[in-house]
Amino acid sequence: MKKHSTLGEFIINNQSHFSGSSGELSRLLNAIRLAAKVVNHEVNKAGLVDILGAAGETNIQGEDQQKLDVYANDIFMQTLTKREIVCGIASEEEDDFVVIKGSNGNNDNKYILLMDPLDGSSNIDVNVSVGTIFSVYERITPKGQPVTKADFLQKGKKQVAAGYIVYGTSTMLVYSTGRGVHGFTLNPAIGTFYLSHPNMEFPRKGNIYSINEANYVHFPQGVKDYLKYIQKKVEEGQKYTSRYIGSLVSDFHRNMIKGGIYIYPTSSKSPKGKLRLLYECNPMAFLAEQANGMATDGYQRILDIQPTELHQRVPFFCGSRSMVSKVGELMGAYPDGADY
Ligand code: AHM
Ligand code: MG
């Protein structure tokens, strides 16, 4: 595919790679593209809240202002529901999954979607990049029946597609349907995403580590050992650098381009970790593997974990292969789990 082709063209051209394709996945990706542009428009206005009115207030046009994460959730929900593309959605913003019927009252659609509509939203007030994360599976309940929780609790390796939108200095949509990872940059003047980063890959070795080091004393011993290992390497003259935005999508995006590792481990304060398996870790792990990187919970591959709850949390180690392998090796010295 030529660089500078549009996302719309790319989606259509790739449809033919899936034998027996019904076009549903293409329609789904197109709906995400549309919702992303609407959310992008609103995120870009966030700095004007003092002028236009903050969440919970009524703005000067008399419109009620919503918190941006709620707004993003509503936009993605509405765009996908009204177009009758998916048969169910689970969102980090909703307590339970939502069953979606077609206008004929049937439950005939093939795919379910899971999403974190606005990840890292605490960064909005300070004008730092945030993101949307999405993940797509084929339903396992028979067509025609309403989807059940089991459809959403599939292992990450069953994902058909996953991606994110990063609302940054440029807005980018990055996704994979299992044939590599491709990045598209939005030209805001005309509202079109162009293929700017075909076949994205994590460099095998990296020198960036992204972790909230303030929690050091609460980390498992394997993670402390990894940080000490990095310090020793620096002493020996190797270059490592710490970069932590506190916005998973942005940290992941930078590490994929430059080479690095993102770690959100368990801690004595949060023994299960912070990030959500279904909405954050599985899609990012799918992208990481498609981009020649790795993602584990410190011991096992994220994509092999059998989910048991919708909002399940897991520790997350994700990025360049050599770095994720190294920390895994050090974690392996404590096979019974955390030794804080
Ligand atoms: P959120 O889903 O509530 O936004 O939390 C997820 C975010 C990630 O984007 C980010 O990497 C992490 O939380 C930062 O957490 P912390 O502030 O504990 O370092
Ligand atoms: Mg989140």
Side-chain angles (χ1 to χ4, degrees):
M1 190 76 196
K2 279 201 307 262
K3 224 175 163 181
H4 309 305
S5 60
T6 68
L7 176 56
E9 288 165 345
F10 189 90
I11 291 171
I12 291 167
N13 285 332
N14 277 277
Q15 191 173 309
S16 57
H17 291 136
F18 298 92
S19 59
S21 164
S22 58
E24 275 178 81
L25 185 59
S26 302
R27 289 201 295 131
L28 173 50
L29 292 167
N30 275 320
I32 291 172
R33 174 182 67 151
L34 175 64
K37 287 194 262 189
V38 178
V39 171
N40 175 61
H41 181 69
E42 206 61 25
V43 167
N44 282 341
K45 286 195 306 193
L48 295 169
V49 284
D50 287 344
I51 298 155
L52 300 178
E57 292 174 0
T58 305
N59 71 14
I60 46 173
Q61 282 99 30
E63 298 157 342
D64 288 335
Q65 295 295 288
Q66 278 179 312
K67 278 185 72 181
L68 271 177
D69 38 14
V70 178
Y71 177 85
N73 188 54
D74 287 353
I75 293 296
F76 276 93
M77 280 283 184
Q78 279 170 24
T79 310
L80 294 160
T81 309
K82 293 212 171 111
R83 279 152 196 266
E84 301 175 18
I85 304 168
V86 287
C87 51
I89 301 180
S91 162
E92 199 186 286
E93 288 288 328
E94 308 269 347
D95 292 339
D96 209 349
F97 65 89
V98 178
V99 179
I100 298 168
K101 284 186 183 173
S103 51
N104 55 5
N106 294 339
N107 291 277
D108 287 340
N109 290 324
K110 188 153 94 185
Y111 296 108
I112 57 156
L113 180 100
L114 295 100
M115 64 172 170
D116 182 352
L118 209 61
D119 183 67
S121 48
S122 62
N123 281 311
I124 286 176
D125 290 347
V126 288
N127 207 358
V128 166
S129 303
V130 289
T132 297
I133 308 172
F134 63 90
S135 166
V136 180
Y137 295 78
E138 251 184 61
R139 63 185 302 162
I140 50 174
T141 46
K143 231 174 147 178
Q145 291 178 15
V147 283
T148 67
K149 200 163 168 186
D151 289 291
F152 296 92
L153 298 183
Q154 298 184 57
K155 289 184 181 173
K157 64 182 174 193
K158 299 276 185 192
Q159 283 170 104
V160 173
Y164 59 79
I165 297 116
V166 56
Y167 308 99
T169 41
S170 287
T171 291
M172 280 189 71
L173 191 153
V174 174
Y175 84 104
S176 175
T177 52
R179 298 175 56 86
V181 177
H182 308 286
F184 300 81
T185 302
L186 180 67
N187 177 344
I190 53 173
T192 303
F193 282 102
Y194 288 95
L195 179 61
S196 51
H197 295 65
N199 298 308
M200 298 177 83
E201 285 201 350
F202 276 91
R204 215 184 73 78
K205 290 185 178 167
N207 66 358
I208 298 174
Y209 66 104
S210 312
I211 184 167
N212 190 340
E213 234 166 321
N215 296 326
Y216 183 89
V217 291
H218 304 292
F219 286 158
Q221 192 56 43
V223 173
K224 287 181 184 158
D225 288 352
Y226 183 62
L227 295 173
K228 280 189 226 146
Y229 161 85
I230 290 179
Q231 286 165 4
K232 188 157 171 288
K233 290 284 168 196
V234 171
E235 230 172 42
E236 289 166 10
Q238 274 197 36
K239 275 198 178 149
Y240 276 95
T241 189
S242 160
R243 290 284 181 274
Y244 188 70
I245 299 171
S247 197
L248 170 64
V249 173
S250 313
D251 279 312
F252 178 99
H253 187 73
R254 182 206 49 243
N255 290 351
M256 178 159 62
I257 291 171
K258 296 199 164 174
I261 186 169
Y262 173 96
I263 304 177
Y264 210 109
T266 60
S267 72
S268 50
K269 283 194 307 187
S270 45
K272 293 184 172 162
K274 176 181 185 188
L275 300 183
R276 314 284 181 156
L277 175 60
L278 300 190
Y279 313 115
E280 292 161 333
C281 303
N282 269 338
M284 291 318 220
F286 181 81
L287 290 167
E289 290 197 4
Q290 282 295 318
N292 203 26
M294 253 177 101
T296 73
D297 67 354
Y299 299 98
Q300 63 165 328
R301 186 180 174 223
I302 289 287
L303 298 182
D304 282 338
I305 297 175
Q306 176 59 59
T308 52
E309 317 160 32
L310 285 179
H311 293 276
Q312 183 171 345
R313 296 176 196 269
V314 282
F316 195 46
F317 298 70
C318 178
S320 291
R321 274 163 182 266
S322 67
M323 299 179 93
V324 181
S325 302
K326 182 66 197 175
V327 67
E329 183 191 312
L330 296 172
M331 292 290 288
Y334 309 93
D336 297 332
D339 178 1
Y340 297 105

